[in-house]
Amino acid sequence: MNILIINSGSSSIKYQLLEMPSTKVICVGAIERIGSTDAISNYKTDNNKVEKIYEIANHKAGLERITSLLLDSEIGVLKSTEEIDAFGHRVVHGGSDYTETTLIDEEVKRKIKMLSTLAPLHNPANLQGIVMAEEIFTTAKQIVVFDTAFHGTVPVKAKKYALPNNLYHDKGIQAYGFHGTSHKYVSEIANEYLNKANTKLISIHLGNGCSITAIKNGKSIDHSMGFAPSNGLIMGTRSGDIDHSIIYYMVNTLGYSLDDVNELLNKKSGMLGLTGFNDLRDIEEEASNGNKDCILALEMNAYRIKKYIGAYTATMNGLDAIIFTAGIGENSSLMRQLVCKDMDYFNFQLDDSKNDLRSKNFREINTTDSKVKILVIPTNEELEIAKQVYELLT
């Protein structure tokens, strides 16, 4: 069975074509920096590797580019769209209605659209990918895996806000949690590696979107993001945690509209608001050249992560391992070093030489005497989605 996975992030699209159940990767690629004139398109098969710079204005243009590569007469891997048996789509927000892998119909698409107000950087792009896939790959089954599903095990005491009870029971206002596919995938690998009956893990997903999850015995029990994917850690363009009184001050005193505030918090804040850049590679380069705003932004980012590590270690009454994953977590030795610095009380020690080693593989980067493991585990949301799609269809 050929399954094509589309994983639309806030500024990227990752994709993989897999043969299941063998999990053989037929092609893999990504489009990064969507919305810019220098977006990067990567495409790789056993016989070809292509990387080019394009102006890719939005996710629709990115998906059109991916389709043209797959069907290209020279380097493509498909002769016809009918060779795809199923599509697996990552959708960020499924609300309280969808906690399992789901076959897409008009009602599912309506719900995804309705929830776009809660995930404005993601759900619209996710839905666009679904609609375009239905138009081009007309014979393929369309399946959705929701980011929120893994966090269905978070207990009520952790996901309920201190608001009037009817808002929770009748309106579904609660912390849902996100990046669930990634956190699930890397935590399963960590549990297999640790080979313990009971484990206490903290998974740190660092990309343009960032989140951190407390995982006890394989189950998510707390998560930094909440009702929408905007709380918690400092992100590329999202603020993460702020005092909600700031919103009232901006509207009532500074003259912002609610739409202005929403735009600012989601698209103009985070690392972009602090530095003028939202790509960590640019920020690290500027910091190395003495840019004080970039240096401070990196320190703030690491400080926020440390606070969550402390909170989740207390919540679980212990810690076996922390996991760094996603684009920044896997590739930024500086970010990992800043997070792990001065954490002796928590009994984990970073091995600087292991941390500086660039690798795309699973690795342990703590010292031999560190009581807590520090793991770098490359996430593979696409493979996790493919497994869930295959299980649903068979």
Side-chain angles (χ1 to χ4, degrees), residues 38-58:
D38 59 348
I40 305 168
S41 173
N42 293 300
Y43 173 80
K44 183 180 178 182
T45 68
D46 287 342
N47 301 315
N48 294 286
K49 185 177 181 180
V50 179
E51 180 174 309
K52 290 187 178 180
I53 305 295
Y54 296 93
E55 178 178 357
I56 297 180
N58 50 43

Side-chain angles (χ1 to χ4, degrees), residues 39-97:
I40 305 168
S41 173
N42 293 300
Y43 173 80
K44 183 180 178 182
T45 68
D46 287 342
N47 301 315
N48 294 286
K49 185 177 181 180
V50 179
E51 180 174 309
K52 290 187 178 180
I53 305 295
Y54 296 93
E55 178 178 357
I56 297 180
N58 50 43
H59 284 73
K60 183 175 186 294
L63 289 162
E64 289 171 345
R65 176 65 192 157
I66 292 167
T67 303
S68 68
L69 284 167
L70 293 171
L71 296 170
D72 188 273
S73 59
E74 294 183 2
I75 63 171
V77 292
L78 301 176
K79 293 181 180 179
S80 165
T81 58
E82 294 183 1
E83 294 179 44
I84 300 297
D85 298 297
F87 256 78
H89 297 272
R90 173 208 177 203
V91 171
V92 165
H93 212 312
S96 56
D97 292 332

Side-chain angles (χ1 to χ4, degrees), residues 1-3 85-87 101 103 141-143 387-394:
M1 182 184 294
N2 288 332
I3 300 177
D85 298 297
F87 256 78
T101 307
L103 190 66
K141 298 283 188 182
Q142 305 288 334
I143 315 293
K387 288 178 178 178
Q388 294 187 41
V389 168
Y390 181 76
E391 287 173 7
L392 176 67
L393 293 179
T394 56

Side-chain angles (χ1 to χ4, degrees), residues 373-390:
K373 301 290 187 186
I374 306 171
L375 307 176
V376 179
I377 304 179
T379 192
N380 194 334
E381 293 168 292
E382 294 75 29
L383 176 57
E384 179 62 34
I385 293 169
K387 288 178 178 178
Q388 294 187 41
V389 168
Y390 181 76

Side-chain angles (χ1 to χ4, degrees), residues 82-378:
E82 294 183 1
E83 294 179 44
I84 300 297
D85 298 297
F87 256 78
H89 297 272
R90 173 208 177 203
V91 171
V92 165
H93 212 312
S96 56
D97 292 332
Y98 299 108
T99 58
E100 296 179 348
T101 307
T102 305
L103 190 66
I104 294 170
D105 59 17
E106 291 303 314
E107 175 61 20
V108 172
K109 287 189 287 185
R110 187 192 69 79
K111 188 69 173 183
I112 292 169
K113 184 177 182 180
M114 188 187 79
L115 290 165
S116 291
T117 55
L118 304 184
L121 298 185
H122 300 87
N123 271 36
N126 302 152
L127 183 58
Q128 198 171 61
I130 292 169
V131 171
M132 191 168 180
E134 288 177 328
E135 291 175 358
I136 298 172
F137 297 84
T138 56
T139 61
K141 298 283 188 182
Q142 305 288 334
I143 315 293
V144 61
V145 174
F146 291 97
D147 259 13
T148 45
F150 179 60
H151 303 296
T153 54
V154 172
V156 173
K157 65 182 179 182
K159 69 183 179 183
K160 187 177 179 182
Y161 295 112
L163 299 170
N165 285 327
N166 70 296
L167 292 176
Y168 172 73
H169 293 295
D170 301 334
K171 306 299 182 182
I173 295 179
Q174 64 175 64
Y176 286 101
F178 301 91
H179 293 139
T181 308
S182 175
H183 290 297
K184 180 178 186 292
Y185 178 81
V186 298
S187 64
E188 287 175 350
I189 291 177
N191 280 325
E192 184 177 347
Y193 176 73
L194 294 171
N195 194 27
K196 292 178 61 177
N198 300 297
T199 56
K200 299 170 182 177
L201 308 175
I202 293 177
S203 173
I204 310 168
H205 178 106
L206 301 179
N208 194 53
C210 302
S211 65
I212 183 168
T213 302
I215 303 169
K216 189 172 184 179
N217 302 331
K219 306 293 185 183
S220 172
I221 64 163
D222 207 345
H223 180 74
S224 59
M225 288 177 165
F227 184 58
S230 53
N231 269 22
L233 307 182
I234 297 170
M235 297 173 244
T237 64
R238 285 167 274 173
S239 66
D241 290 339
I242 64 165
D243 180 345
H244 59 262
S245 300
I246 295 169
I247 296 172
Y248 303 118
Y249 180 75
M250 292 176 69
V251 172
N252 296 329
T253 304
L254 301 183
Y256 284 78
S257 70
L258 285 173
D259 286 342
D260 290 338
V261 175
N262 187 51
E263 175 87 3
L264 184 143
L265 293 178
N266 278 291
K267 298 182 179 180
K268 298 179 181 178
S269 297
M271 299 300 274
L272 177 64
L274 293 171
T275 69
F277 305 95
N278 73 318
D279 191 302
L280 195 82
R281 290 167 289 194
D282 298 329
I283 295 168
E284 287 188 0
E285 183 177 354
E286 287 289 319
S288 69
N289 293 327
N291 184 316
K292 292 183 179 179
D293 287 338
C294 290
I295 292 170
L296 178 59
L298 291 170
E299 291 174 346
M300 289 173 64
N301 202 329
Y303 181 77
R304 185 77 59 87
I305 295 168
K306 285 171 179 272
K307 288 173 67 175
Y308 273 94
I309 290 173
Y312 289 164
T313 302
T315 297
M316 295 188 290
N317 191 26
L319 183 62
D320 294 305
I322 63 169
I323 304 165
F324 288 98
T325 193
I328 293 170
E330 295 166 28
N331 296 301
S332 176
S333 58
L334 175 60
M335 202 70 239
R336 294 191 298 262
Q337 190 235 342
L338 289 172
V339 170
C340 295
K341 182 181 179 183
D342 298 329
M343 297 286 273
D344 303 0
Y345 188 80
F346 290 90
N347 295 316
F348 59 87
Q349 297 282 347
L350 185 71
D351 185 312
D352 290 328
S353 61
K354 291 179 182 177
N355 183 46
D356 290 338
L357 182 66
R358 290 194 65 84
S359 172
K360 293 185 178 181
N361 299 321
F362 172 104
R363 56 204 185 275
E364 183 180 311
I365 59 172
N366 50 272
T367 60
T368 54
D369 59 344
S370 179
K371 294 182 180 179
V372 173
K373 301 290 187 186
I374 306 171
L375 307 176
V376 179
I377 304 179

